[in-house]
Structure formats: C-alpha cells, structure tokens
Amino acid sequence: MAHNLLIHYSMMRSLHQKGLRLLGILLTAAGPLCCAYAQMPNDAIYMGKKTACLAVSYTHSSWDQYWENSLKRENLNIGTHTTQSVMPMLAVGITKDFNAIVALPYVWTQASAGNLRWQKGVQDASLWLKYRFLNKSGFSLHAIAGASIPATNYIPDFLPMSIGIQCKTATARLLASYRHKSGVYLTASGSYIFRSKITIDRDSYQADDRLYNSNKVSVPNAYDASARLGYLKKAIQAEGFIEYGACDGGDNIRRNDMPFPTNNMRATLVGVYAKYQPKNIGVNARASHAISGRNMGQSTAFSVGVLYQFRYAKDANN
Amino acid sequence: MKINYISLRPPITRYVIPALAVMMLWSCSKTVDEPTAGISSPSSLDENAGTWKPYLLASASEIPVAEPKQATSEDYKAELKKLKDATDAVTPQQREQINYWGAGAVFRWNEIARELCARYNSPPASTPDGKYPLPDAANPLKDPKFPFANPPYAARAMAYLSVAQYDALVAAWNYKFKYNRKAPSKNDASIKTLLPVSDLPSYPSEDAVVAEVSVVILKAMFPGEVPYLEAKLAEHKHSRISAGLNVDSDIAAGSELGKAVGAKIMARAKTDKMSAANGQAMTAAMIANAKKIGVTEPWVSQEFPPRPPMLPTYGFVKPWNFDSATVVALRPEAPPVIGSPAFQKDMDELLKIAKGQTREQARIASFWSDGVGSYTPPGHWHRKGAQLCHENKYSEVRTARALALLGTTMQDAGICCWDVKYYYYYPRPNQMSSKIKTSVGLPNFPSYTSGHSTFSGAAAEVLAHIFPSSKKEVDDMASEASISRIYGLIHYRFDCEVGLATGHKIGSYAVQRAKTDGAE
C-alpha cells in the first residue's frame, strides 16, 4: 500500500497516474494487500501473532481524460494512458495488535496515441507498521506509520509516463473502526504524508510560475482521508469506500503543458473491495474510479490479488 | 518462541523509528538551494572598450551624452548629500536587492530573459475544431500567450538583448572615460558603499544603461510582461543608489542612453523579416522542392491534430554575422536517401535504443531536452556563457561582448538550421517507424539537421575562442547536447553529426568578428 501510495503519488503526478494516484493510493494500498485476516495499511484487520500473509496483486489503471489544473480535457497525443503494476506484499503478525507490512511494486506505463515512450521498472519499497492501541466493544483505534523509498533509479519527471516521482516518504495515519457483531464495519482514516525533495536529470525547471536553476525539486507533502463501510465475517469481506487525497500545496499544470512532480494533485475516489479466503489461500479484487480531481488523470482502476497465509514460527502452545 | 518474539521488538524500535524520524526530516525542508552568484568583481576596467566595434551603432559616440556637472559644483554636492541620506536609510530588503544586482547587470538581465523564455515556451493548444490559434501580440496574456518562445524565438530575443546591451555599454564606456567622473565615494569618502568600488568612472551609470536598454528589448519581445519589467528596472536602478555607487545624474544619463540605443536596436528588429517567419503558405512549394531533390517521404506533423510546422520561413530572417546568401552557402549536403544503407544504419541504431534505452542515455537526453517550458538550447548556452564571464571576472562591457558574440551566433545557427530543415523537409525517425517513441517530446518540424546540434556547435566554437581554457569543456558539452537527441529518440545520427559540424562553421563567423572588434 505504501508503495502503492507512492506509486500512485508518482502516477498522480503524471496526469493519468494522477487520476490514479489517489485511487491508486487507496486502491493499491488497500487492494493488493488484504489477506484473510488482514490486512492493509488502511484497514482495521490484523494478522495473528506468528502468522504472515503473502499477497500478490495486479492493478490496471487507465484514463483518457485528465484535469489540467481545473480544466477537464482529453489529449489526442496521449490517447488512453495506462498504468499497470504487479505488487508482492508481505504482512507479518508480530503480535495480535502489532503488524508490519512490506511491499515492492513493478510498474509499467503506456500511452495509446502520440510519441511518448513507455516507462517500466521496480518502483518504491514500502514498510508499514500498524498498532492497535485501543480495542473495546467492537471499537478500535489504530496508529499506523509508513515509509517508502525508491528502489531503483527510474526517471521521475517524465510525466505522465514516469512510474513514480522518486520521493522518499513517511506517513502518519490514524484509523478508527467499529465492527458490529453482525460483521458490518465502518472504518475511517486520515493521514499526512511527508515527501522528500527529489533530484531530476535536468538542472533547470519551471515550478510555481518561476524558473529554478537547480536539479533539486521540492515536492509538496500530501494528506488523505477515507471512509469505508463493509461486511467481514469468516471467509468473506466486502466493502464500499470513498477516499480523498491531495497535496499540501504545490502548483498547477501550465496551460497545455505536461504535469510535473510539484503539481498539487488531488482526487476523490469511490470504489468497492472484496475478499474471499476460505482457507490459507484467498483472492481479492478492487475497483475504483476518480469522481473529481485536479492536476491528474481521471482514472479507473481494477486490481486482483491472491493471498497466501501461513505461520512463520511454530507456536509452542498449539 | 517467546524469546523469538521479544527479540523482534528491539530492532523495530531501534532502527525503524529513527529511520522514520530521519525521513521526516528529509521531508521537512521545502527550500531548493540554487547556485548563488557572488558579487561581481571585474579584474579589468577595460578602459578602451569605448573604441570597440558596435554591432548597430555607427560609432560609440553616435548618441550624444551631455557632459556631467563638475565634482565641485553645488548641484553635484547636493546629489552626494542625497546619496548619503539614501545609503544611511538602507533597509534589509534593499540590501538583498543590492547584492542580487551586484552579481552583474548583464548577468542578471540575461538570467531574467532566460526565465521569460521558459515561461512563454508553451505551444498553443488545439481548439475543438482541430485548429491551432496563433498567439496575438496585441493580447499577449490571452490563451495562447504571446509569444510562443520556441528555440528560434528565444534565440532571436536573446540575440537582440545581448547586442543591445553590448552597443549601449560600448557607448557608455566611451563617455565614462571621456568625462571621467569618479565614483561618488571617491569624491566624498564619508559615503558608505555596500558593493566594491573600482576606478571605473561612474557617469553614465553602466547599470542604468543595461537595465534601460534591456527593458526596451524585453518589453518588445514579451509584451505581456511590461509591469514586471518596469518593476525590475526601478529596483535595479534604485539598488545602485542605495548601494552608494551612483548619484541620480549618473542614473539619469545612463537611462537616456539605454533608451536611445534600445530604439536603434529595435529599428532593426522591425525589419529583420521575423514578422514573416511563420510563412505557412510556402510549405507546399518547400515540400514539392524536397521531393524534387530526392526526399521521397517528406516530413508530416506527428501531432494530433496535425500542427503547422514551427516557423517554416525563419531561415529567411536576417542573420548577424553574415548575409542571407551565406545561409544558403552554409547549407550542408543532402541527408541519406530514405531506405539507403546509410539511412538504415542510423535507423537501426535508433530501433536498438528504442528497445533498450539505458538510464544514462535517458539522463543525457533529459539533461539537454530544453523542450517545452524550458529556456531552450539558446537559453542553455547563454546560461553557460554568463557563468563563464562571471567566473572569469569579466567587466560589464566584456560580459556583454561575450554574450553578444554568443547570442548572435545562436540566432545565426537557428536561421541556418531552419533553412536546412525546410529545404530538405526530411521526416523524423518517429514518422518512419512507430516503434520509435521519445523520452523528451517530439519537436514539430523536419528532422535534418538537428537544431540542438547546430546551436551547440556554434556556441562551443564561440565560447572556446573567448575562454580557451574551457575549450574542452564546452566542446564536450556540445557533443553531448548533440548526441542527446539520438538518445532521446528524435534524431538520426546524421542529423546530429552534420548539424554539429555546421554549427562550428557558423560559429567561426562570430569568432572572425571577435578577432577584429578591438577587444582582443
């Protein structure tokens, strides 16, 4: 998820990706990870102690319209922009209230029209730590911390084709959840994402309506919020969600120009998520769509994943 | 098992949490450090610059500048008193401005012009009916903004700016040493100065001359920026007073001279055929000619909807260091016949890069991309030129000379290259194979020869002459700029190699001038 977020953030950067980004963030983050009992950086589900879940997800996200600043437009020299990714993710139950999640996506982009070259590669590695510090009568509170770091030297400023934007990130998230005995749950979360400066290949670029004579680029921080209503019982989980993500500052795409990592990308996504895990092996799927945004593509994303849950240490008591 | 569990925790708290803290620190600073230019401290006064050959002025004394009041006069003493009051009341913000402009008048106005080029380097968007509206000089801020500061436009804007600064400074130097008014602080030692003071006579003020002449040119080139330019002009002139370096009459005389030189330079700009450079009506005849001379598949726009090619008759614009007949004489031989072994060899190279562009190739392509939203290749080279002048402690007038030699050769290169492009009308590799996609953006005009290569060859030729100790560095830069267009997948190798060689030939004309302008 973290990396998904990152991916998406990067993507978000790119027009399309932008659209995707929030979506992607939400989607990817949430989507790929879920194991039966767990678990993504944006849910209230935990792996039990000494159990782990390995998940691999595939995500397909595309847009043929984007928000150039606030102007919704198409671009005949891009056509349909598609970002695909495959992400292995491992969630580990350290205690029943403390989980760690790591993930590393491989991402590739393409445009159906025009002359912009595809990009592909391993994107950003992420680590999430999830801690349930209150759990009473179905109500729980969780503190979640995430960090990500680019895993390869991919090109960050060739948006919307870049697979990411090379930021190191740190995320602080608070999540609250209530689950009724019937299995119905309601979860809400909010996060703040710190993002590092990046280095680009050029030593001059435009941002904030001025020219910078440097290869360092200051990327705005970001924040997000989400609400999800769902049902979780035994092998089945299903939910609907709405997510909002935005940069804390940043500039807009200039008229008829390409996006840039400094852009203030924002999007609101709606989507559904479902998981079925009768035994150790399970599957999940997720779909989302951007209903509004700025400086990013209006993406529609689908993802599917397989999950495998196992014990990584023998429990003497069992 | 329990032990296992316990042993897991310390690493988490010991390493992960500090790691997160470090990441947060990385993220906290949002300030980008840009290279700072130190205060200019010229190593020479260039006392004889008043005898250097101007570009457009008939002589350094063509525009009269009145003799200043004597240092002993009551008027001048009153000016000194006023200056003392101004320097005593300097605010921290003024001090910042003093230091900013203290890096050099030509240096800063060149930088301002590059920034304007970048901010106006946006191709018009197509309308719903598939047309591309033309920018309108009478409504410069309306979408699409005027101008579209593409490389030929930027080359010309920077050329006029540099020539105007140079001619104005040659005239200023003439009067400085004719009238020999000492700097205010040398007439009154009690004046506090906030920048170094040399023995350069202060009348007329070289800063006022440069500021005023630059604003005349830049207002004409970027008519939407008049308020911004006037604010910069006022700030620049005032910085010299608050720094204690010029009295009002130094500034006023410099301003008048700058304005008058600016008008002379703009008279040429109005008749240099730039207004006819977007001759779209002539492309049919150009295409017919290209077919006649063997280009079987002439260039067509690869954009959707097809965009009219960039400035097809820019090749007829008046050059600086030679005449239009020489533009034709400098035209290189025809590119390989499409489909010939020579063509196929360079096409195969591109197909290979298209499959597996390396990260280093992508880096070089991006570093030199200088595309939409940038200050363009002429801006890239002006930046290098200005930097070299600053590092070599050039005086204002010598800096202006170097940038005029560079600026004029840049526009000459643009004119020659555009002539070649529309003479051969040769297709881009991306038109010949859909497997070739670019990592830098595809320019909307014919391929042969490479503009980057031509600009860079000419720039390196001139800069290597002016700064012989930097010859290897600028030659390497030019070679890299040239090959970057292959790595970026928008040019054949023959476009780049022929363009670079032609650029060097074009630059040699400016070098010829440099040898005879009286400054060496």
Side-chain angles (χ1 to χ4, degrees):
Chain A
M1 186 179 191
H3 64 267
N4 271 313
L5 282 171
L6 290 175
I7 293 176
H8 287 291
Y9 274 103
S10 332
M11 295 180 152
M12 290 182 73
R13 298 313 182 130
S14 43
L15 295 178
H16 301 306
Q17 297 209 358
K18 296 178 169 191
L20 281 176
R21 165 206 188 178
L22 286 176
L23 268 173
I25 292 176
L26 296 174
L27 272 174
T28 26
L33 298 178
C34 291
C35 284
Y37 301 120
Q39 84 106 323
M40 308 187 282
N42 62 357
D43 65 22
I45 303 169
Y46 283 73
M47 303 296 303
K49 184 176 164 184
K50 297 193 176 76
T51 57
C53 177
L54 182 65
V56 178
S57 62
Y58 163 80
T59 301
H60 179 283
S61 175
S62 64
W63 50 260
D64 54 17
Q65 292 209 302
Y66 62 99
W67 289 279
E68 174 188 289
N69 190 342
S70 55
L71 171 71
K72 179 100 169 276
R73 61 166 290 180
E74 58 181 4
N75 190 326
L76 299 176
N77 295 296
I78 289 173
T80 299
H81 181 279
T82 304
T83 303
Q84 296 173 85
S85 64
V86 170
M87 179 167 80
M89 177 164 110
L90 180 69
V92 178
I94 294 162
T95 74
K96 69 179 174 56
D97 291 319
F98 184 54
N99 280 193
I101 304 166
V102 291
L104 182 65
Y106 180 85
V107 182
W108 65 104
T109 61
Q110 68 191 86
S112 69
N115 282 283
L116 296 181
R117 189 172 189 273
W118 47 263
Q119 302 284 300
K120 61 179 181 183
V122 176
Q123 198 216 31
D124 303 332
S126 61
L127 164 71
W128 292 88
L129 300 175
K130 204 166 142 179
Y131 178 56
R132 176 161 51 201
F133 61 91
L134 189 146
N135 194 3
K136 210 171 178 183
S137 318
F139 181 73
S140 58
L141 281 176
H142 313 255
I144 298 162
S148 74
I149 188 163
T152 59
N153 185 26
Y154 59 81
I155 301 161
D157 61 330
F158 183 45
L159 297 175
M161 305 312 291
S162 286
I163 62 167
I165 57 168
Q166 287 285 355
C167 280
K168 301 177 192 93
T169 75
T171 301
R173 173 174 298 156
L174 196 61
L175 185 144
S177 184
Y178 174 74
R179 186 170 169 224
H180 188 259
K181 275 175 279 183
S182 63
V184 173
Y185 65 86
L186 180 65
T187 301
S189 72
S191 346
Y192 195 82
I193 302 135
F194 297 90
R195 302 198 296 175
S196 70
K197 278 184 268 195
I198 62 170
T199 303
I200 60 174
D201 295 331
R202 294 178 278 159
D203 67 351
S204 169
Y205 63 90
Q206 243 192 109
D208 320 317
D209 214 19
R210 58 160 289 210
L211 188 72
Y212 286 83
N213 288 305
S214 171
N215 61 354
K216 302 280 186 249
V217 179
S218 176
V219 173
N221 293 339
Y223 56 92
D224 65 40
S226 74
R228 44 197 84 239
L229 178 64
Y231 172 81
L232 170 63
K233 204 153 197 185
K234 297 186 178 160
I236 290 175
Q237 182 187 3
E239 75 176 27
F241 60 81
I242 180 162
E243 298 177 324
Y244 175 76
C247 294
D248 186 4
D251 60 358
N252 292 311
I253 300 175
R254 290 179 298 278
R255 178 71 183 119
N256 205 37
D257 209 340
M258 288 287 133
F260 194 69
T262 54
N263 293 155
N264 184 346
M265 300 178 205
R266 3 188 103 210
T268 302
L269 306 182
V270 293
V272 291
Y273 170 76
K275 184 182 62 187
Y276 178 63
Q277 188 160 17
K279 294 208 168 170
N280 278 13
I281 292 179
V283 292
N284 65 2
R286 177 184 155 115
S288 70
H289 178 67
I291 54 171
S292 71
R294 191 169 273 217
N295 296 311
M296 54 193 278
Q298 185 176 24
S299 62
T300 299
F302 302 95
S303 82
V304 292
V306 291
L307 325 163
Y308 173 66
Q309 195 171 328
F310 58 96
R311 281 188 181 277
Y312 64 87
K314 209 170 155 188
D315 193 327
N317 295 330
N318 285 356
Chain B
M1 287 291 109
K2 262 225 150 101
I3 287 168
N4 269 349
Y5 165 57
I6 287 163
S7 68
L8 262 176
R9 287 199 78 147
I12 286 167
T13 46
R14 272 188 210 154
Y15 302 115
V16 176
I17 292 169
L20 283 176
V22 167
M23 289 191 132
M24 293 207 182
L25 283 177
W26 280 330
S27 321
C28 281
S29 160
K30 293 289 178 194
T31 312
V32 170
D33 295 323
E34 294 180 81
T36 50
I39 303 294
S40 160
S41 54
S43 60
S44 160
L45 296 182
D46 284 316
E47 293 95 331
N48 296 324
T51 65
W52 295 358
K53 183 174 141 198
Y55 279 85
L56 298 176
L57 294 182
S59 75
S61 54
E62 181 186 336
I63 293 162
V65 172
E67 187 173 357
K69 297 266 166 59
Q70 291 300 309
T72 50
S73 68
E74 287 309 311
D75 283 353
Y76 186 67
K77 282 181 185 161
E79 286 199 298
L80 288 179
K81 168 77 177 60
K82 200 177 153 204
L83 186 65
K84 213 189 281 186
D85 294 344
T87 56
D88 285 343
V90 167
T91 65
Q93 191 202 6
Q94 282 172 333
R95 197 176 275 266
E96 225 172 80
Q97 291 169 351
I98 289 165
N99 288 338
Y100 167 82
W101 292 104
V106 170
F107 182 87
R108 287 300 184 199
W109 283 102
N110 188 276
E111 187 177 69
I112 288 166
R114 296 195 306 265
E115 176 157 5
L116 290 177
C117 288
R119 284 177 43 212
Y120 279 83
N121 186 3
S122 304
S126 60
T127 54
D129 59 351
K131 300 261 167 55
Y132 290 94
L134 284 179
D136 176 9
N139 286 298
L141 297 179
K142 191 177 142 249
D143 180 40
K145 283 198 298 182
F146 178 91
F148 168 21
N150 49 44
Y153 191 95
R156 175 173 175 268
M158 302 293 296
Y160 276 98
L161 176 72
S162 313
V163 164
Q165 291 172 338
Y166 171 74
D167 275 19
L169 282 171
V170 168
W173 245 253
N174 172 54
Y175 292 112
K176 276 176 180 290
F177 286 92
K178 181 175 173 191
Y179 297 133
N180 259 315
R181 177 192 266 183
K182 283 193 231 162
S185 60
K186 304 218 171 195
N187 283 315
D188 180 346
S190 71
I191 290 173
K192 277 187 296 189
T193 55
L194 295 172
L195 288 173
V197 181
S198 71
D199 289 329
L200 186 68
S202 68
Y203 179 97
S205 158
E206 67 274 22
D207 284 80
V209 165
V210 170
E212 202 76 57
V213 80
S214 299
V215 167
V216 172
I217 305 299
L218 292 176
K219 273 184 186 173
M221 299 294 171
F222 299 96
E225 295 297 319
V226 171
Y228 166 76
L229 291 165
E230 283 181 345
K232 279 280 182 196
L233 171 67
E235 179 194 303
H236 186 181
K237 290 199 282 195
H238 196 80
S239 78
R240 300 298 290 182
I241 291 173
S242 40
L245 291 184
N246 284 117
V247 295
D248 285 344
S249 55
D250 297 337
I251 301 281
S255 294
E256 288 313 307
L257 178 60
K259 272 187 221 166
V261 174
K264 290 261 169 199
I265 308 296
M266 282 313 298
R268 181 193 191 271
K270 282 170 191 143
T271 57
D272 67 358
K273 297 191 184 163
M274 183 65 180
S275 57
N278 192 29
Q280 297 294 337
M282 290 179 70
T283 55
M286 290 168 159
I287 292 166
N289 180 64
K291 282 185 175 161
K292 208 172 79 189
I293 59 177
V295 179
T296 52
E297 206 170 322
W299 175 86
V300 291
S301 174
Q302 299 297 298
E303 292 192 35
F304 307 101
R307 185 189 291 273
M310 182 185 290
L311 302 180
T313 40
Y314 186 77
F316 302 133
V317 172
K318 189 178 177 186
W320 291 96
N321 295 297
F322 40 77
D323 58 18
S324 286
T326 309
V327 173
V328 176
L330 281 165
R331 202 182 276 161
E333 61 179 23
V337 172
I338 294 168
S340 68
F343 170 87
Q344 203 51 52
K345 181 173 145 279
D346 289 359
M347 194 66 182
D348 288 346
E349 178 182 20
L350 290 170
L351 288 165
K352 198 173 155 212
I353 296 169
K355 256 192 210 160
Q357 184 194 45
T358 67
R359 186 64 185 84
E360 178 64 0
Q361 287 170 336
R363 182 194 70 76
I364 291 169
S366 177
F367 181 80
W368 288 102
S369 55
D370 296 330
V372 167
S374 79
Y375 45 42
T376 79
H380 200 141
W381 284 104
H382 271 277
R383 180 180 174 187
K384 182 65 188 172
Q387 218 173 359
L388 283 169
C389 292
H390 198 271
E391 282 164 21
N392 284 276
K393 298 189 182 301
Y394 272 19
S395 64
E396 289 288 355
V397 66
R398 194 168 281 280
T399 299
R401 171 181 175 266
L403 295 180
L405 290 165
L406 177 66
T408 55
T409 205
M410 291 279 91
Q411 198 192 351
D412 289 349
I415 290 165
C416 288
C417 182
W418 254 242
D419 167 76
V420 177
K421 281 179 182 291
Y422 289 95
Y423 182 75
Y424 293 111
Y425 231 91
Y426 203 75
R428 292 270 172 182
N430 320 66
Q431 181 181 335
M432 305 312 291
S433 169
S434 60
K435 287 182 187 153
I436 298 176
K437 305 273 185 195
T438 175
S439 67
V440 293
L442 182 59
N444 190 59
F445 40 84
S447 198
Y448 184 82
T449 54
S450 149
H452 270 58
S453 305
T454 313
F455 283 126
S456 300
E461 186 72 22
V462 167
L463 292 177
H465 172 76
I466 302 172
F467 306 102
S469 64
S470 299
K471 177 171 168 43
K472 183 173 183 321
E473 184 196 1
V474 294
D475 279 346
D476 288 351
M477 285 173 70
S479 299
E480 192 178 88
S482 176
I483 207 163
S484 78
R485 308 307 269 176
I486 301 171
Y487 296 159
L489 292 153
I490 56 173
H491 272 295
Y492 314 93
R493 184 171 284 274
F494 53 76
D495 291 342
C496 298
E497 289 178 350
V498 176
L500 188 64
T502 308
H504 277 282
K505 281 184 207 161
I506 293 162
S508 70
Y509 286 83
V511 168
Q512 204 47 49
R513 179 196 157 91
K515 288 175 179 164
T516 56
D517 67 2
E520 295 184 356

